[in-house]
Amino acid sequence: VVAAMAALQHARRPDVTITGDKVSIHSKLQREPLPLPIAHVPLSSTFAVFRDDATSATTMVLDPSWQEERSRDGEVMVSANVHGEICGVYKAGGCAIEADLLARCAQVAVQEAVQKTKVIENALKESADVFLQRDVEALSIGEGAVDARGEGEGVQET
């Protein structure tokens, strides 16, 4: 999920101008490509549930390994965003989970969403810096001055 959200936030689309029946798709040299309109970024956290029937104790494990997943008694996934909003909860089968444990999972999921969002933002910033440097170098040697059809204007019309 983190990689998918990072990819969506990284993606850019060309700017488009519509005048009557004429549609113009602008090159990145003519107009800066636009980011996708993403309102908020829900990120999920998975918790494995382990029950000890002898003591009635329940243990929750964040992001379980495959070995833990095979031996768990239940599982819950909580999606949250950096604003502290719970975007979704998924629990199918397995043992019951007490409300206080589910609330604790939600708190941890929000903390995880904040940390994962910071990682995504840092990676996007690094990537933007690399692409900016590459574009500056390409412009300084005169590359990229033509559009996809090989014409110098940088506008495609349909």
Side-chain angles (χ1 to χ4, degrees), residues 50-108:
F50 296 92
R51 292 283 284 187
D52 183 349
D53 291 330
T55 63
S56 297
T58 303
T59 303
M60 309 292 280
V61 175
L62 174 63
D63 292 331
S65 67
W66 69 270
Q67 294 99 336
E68 291 165 331
E69 284 186 0
R70 290 187 58 179
S71 62
R72 66 176 165 47
D73 296 308
E75 178 180 59
V76 64
M77 288 175 259
V78 181
S79 295
N81 64 24
V82 295
H83 306 294
E85 300 167 330
I86 303 302
C87 303
V89 176
Y90 177 75
K91 164 89 175 75
C95 66
I97 299 174
E98 293 80 17
D100 62 327
L101 287 175
L102 187 56
R104 179 67 183 132
C105 288
Q107 290 173 342
V108 171

Side-chain angles (χ1 to χ4, degrees), residues 12 18 22 46 50 54 59 75 80-81 85 115 122 145:
R12 298 288 183 267
I18 301 173
K22 181 179 168 185
T46 302
F50 296 92
T59 303
E75 178 180 59
N81 64 24
E85 300 167 330
Q115 287 179 324
N122 289 338

Side-chain angles (χ1 to χ4, degrees), residues 25-30 145-148 151-156:
I25 303 170
H26 302 280
S27 74
K28 70 178 182 176
L29 293 174
Q30 189 173 40
V146 296
D147 67 5
E151 298 173 2
E153 288 291 317
V155 176
Q156 294 179 13

Side-chain angles (χ1 to χ4, degrees), residues 32 126-139:
E32 185 72 25
E126 281 183 31
S127 176
D129 292 345
V130 167
F131 278 99
L132 179 62
Q133 181 62 34
R134 185 198 66 185
D135 288 348
V136 167
E137 290 171 2
L139 288 173

